[in-house]
Amino acid sequence: MAILGDAVSADELDGEPDDVRFAHYRRAFEEVAAADAAALVTRVLTDLDTGMASSAVCEYLDRRTAELLADPGYPSWCLEMTGPVAVDDFSARRLREWTLLRAMTLDEPWETEVLLAASNWLQLHIAEESSAVIALAALAEGGRTRRIRNIAKSRLSAPGCRRQPHRLTE
């Protein structure tokens, strides 16, 4: 695979099987400079196998967001990624959900309705990891699946459940 200017060369990947292209994309995302990441996301999301491309991009978003979640650089990085991921509903949703999780993590305003409309992935993550009473109560009552509701209910009664809820928007 060629990484030219930190972007995957389309000519090098034409005709390669999906699994080979996916491995190339993963490697490119591991090596990409921050300044070139948006261009790489844009390039990968032009792949004809939209599911594979979306998966590669979301893997990058998950890794990078985990690194930046509480960092002051997150908002500018998120803004930079918003345009490129807009062409892919799954990636765009994942970025929005990471932003909701960030707001909850930093005790910034967020809306219960947005949490209840979130994917199973985010709801399950919050049910399993959060100690915010208001988030757990919302998921215990209205989580997308029985598993999410049960985990949230169980966590509500667990020691260490934070009594200061994450702030909601008014």
Side-chain angles (χ1 to χ4, degrees):
M1 171 184 69
I3 299 180
L4 304 172
D6 290 327
V8 176
S9 169
D11 295 337
E12 299 261 339
L13 296 177
D14 284 346
E16 292 288 341
D18 293 347
D19 60 331
V20 171
R21 291 193 324 278
F22 184 73
H24 286 299
Y25 294 152
R26 290 180 77 195
R27 193 170 333 119
F29 278 123
E30 289 172 6
E31 298 172 3
V32 72
D36 298 321
L40 181 58
V41 168
T42 298
R43 163 59 189 103
V44 171
L45 289 175
T46 65
D47 194 286
L48 294 178
D49 184 338
T50 57
M52 179 272 299
S54 181
S55 181
V57 167
C58 283
E59 185 177 290
Y60 165 72
L61 293 176
D62 290 349
R63 181 179 49 78
R64 189 68 177 128
T65 303
E67 296 168 358
L68 290 174
L69 193 63
D71 189 278
Y74 179 86
S76 61
W77 173 82
C78 182
L79 185 59
E80 186 180 351
M81 289 297 118
T82 299
V85 301
V87 300
D88 177 51
D89 292 340
F90 188 76
S91 298
R93 182 176 186 158
R94 182 60 63 97
L95 188 60
R96 286 190 308 272
E97 289 184 349
W98 273 115
T99 301
L100 173 61
L101 182 60
R102 181 178 196 273
M104 295 174 78
T105 300
L106 297 179
D107 286 331
E108 296 174 348
W110 58 277
E111 297 177 13
T112 303
E113 297 78 29
V114 176
L115 174 59
L116 294 178
S119 68
N120 290 1
W121 168 81
L122 180 65
Q123 287 190 5
L124 185 59
H125 179 79
I126 291 171
E128 291 176 339
E129 303 294 327
S130 180
S131 58
V133 172
I134 199 155
L136 292 173
L139 292 175
E141 189 65 30
R144 293 173 67 95
T145 67
R146 183 179 354 192
R147 179 178 179 207
I148 290 167
R149 291 188 300 273
N150 287 340
I151 291 170
K153 287 174 191 172
S154 171
R155 299 277 325 290
L156 273 172
S157 60
C161 189
R162 197 167 73 192
R163 298 298 163 207
Q164 294 291 327
H166 287 310
R167 287 189 295 163
L168 296 172
T169 57
E170 298 301 324

